[in-house]
Amino acid sequence: RAAYALAMDYLPQRLDELVAFGLGSRDLMQAHRALLALPRLDDERRRAHTPLGLRSPFGQVRQFAVDHAPAPLSREALLTLLFDPMPRIRQTAAAQLAALGEDVKGHVHQAIQDGQLAARPLCAALALLVQWRQPDVENLLRHHADDARERVRRQALFLWARVLPQERDAVASRALLDAAGSVRKLAVQLCREGAYVSFEDIAAMLH
């Protein structure tokens, strides 16, 4: 980190290379320094580095790349960002795709139905359908509550409890009996928010 910071300060002739290195880094501090240096580059070089920022593992870097892109993002980039873990990035991508005339809701729904989404994009897609109050979202959430992937089950149950608060007790009971710790923690969270779980379910979980 120290060497990278020194290079940023004392090697301005290599700024373009250093920004590319930082944006592609898995070190948050280096990525942040690269973001701060981006405005020092001309539009052409910033445009060249935008794809690196969009692929960053850090949400704040991807958000900055979206917000400060020197040119409109491509349809392909926006379709990828539509399934980003960060809500604001998804919303920005959805708005820009809609402005291009894309059937955004139809695209997300079809992507879920195709069954090829990895866990993180699938969780993002389910959140979008809940946000848009899609009419069949309740059935989709119930279906994905049985997904083999822990992350997907937790997201589906979390959203299910939010969409149908009258079924929160049943969702909490189901989450409590899940094999995955993160899903059981969701049950505890729901109980703290007022959900009721029977002693029988608690005893079953302990055994």
Side-chain angles (χ1 to χ4, degrees):
R1 287 182 179 179
Y4 183 73
L6 286 171
M8 277 288 195
D9 291 337
Y10 295 104
L11 294 175
Q13 71 274 20
R14 298 185 63 181
L15 183 62
D16 185 71
E17 177 186 347
L18 290 167
V19 167
F21 178 84
L23 290 177
S25 171
R26 300 192 71 83
D27 184 293
L28 179 57
M29 294 301 295
Q30 290 179 354
H32 183 65
R33 285 296 300 258
L35 285 183
L36 294 178
L38 264 178
R40 293 160 58 188
L41 300 176
D42 60 38
D43 282 354
E44 180 182 354
R45 296 314 305 155
R46 287 170 55 203
R47 190 159 43 245
H49 291 316
T50 295
L52 269 178
L54 295 178
R55 293 195 300 271
S56 171
F58 305 112
Q60 67 188 73
V61 176
R62 297 194 305 276
Q63 185 70 66
F64 188 95
V66 170
D67 292 344
H68 297 87
L73 297 176
S74 68
R75 177 180 181 273
E76 292 71 20
L78 291 171
L79 287 173
T80 298
L81 294 172
L82 187 59
F83 300 99
D84 194 273
M86 292 191 66
R88 193 157 77 87
I89 293 179
R90 295 196 299 266
Q91 292 162 12
T92 300
Q96 292 188 24
L97 284 167
L100 294 174
E102 294 283 338
D103 178 8
V104 182
K105 295 179 181 179
H107 180 82
V108 172
H109 197 279
Q110 188 59 52
I112 293 176
Q113 294 293 344
D114 289 345
Q116 300 301 311
L117 290 176
R120 285 182 183 272
L122 177 54
C123 289
L126 291 173
L128 281 172
L129 293 188
V130 167
Q131 176 188 332
W132 295 330
R133 302 181 184 275
Q134 290 294 94
D136 63 340
V137 70
E138 297 167 10
N139 291 330
L140 284 172
L141 295 176
R142 290 189 176 96
H143 172 74
H144 286 94
D146 290 324
D147 196 276
R149 295 162 291 186
E150 173 183 345
R151 183 187 300 274
V152 176
R153 292 198 306 279
R154 189 189 188 284
Q155 175 77 334
L157 289 167
F158 169 76
L159 294 171
W160 182 352
R162 198 170 92 187
V163 171
L164 296 171
Q166 68 273 24
E167 297 184 14
R168 189 168 50 179
D169 295 351
V171 173
S173 295
R174 180 167 178 166
L176 188 65
L177 299 176
D178 196 277
S182 70
V183 183
R184 294 196 298 273
K185 287 179 182 178
L186 172 62
V188 175
Q189 175 186 332
L190 292 174
C191 288
R192 286 175 176 166
E193 295 171 358
Y196 171 78
V197 175
S198 70
F199 286 112
E200 288 81 3
D201 285 339
I202 296 174
M205 183 271 293
L206 293 175
H207 290 297

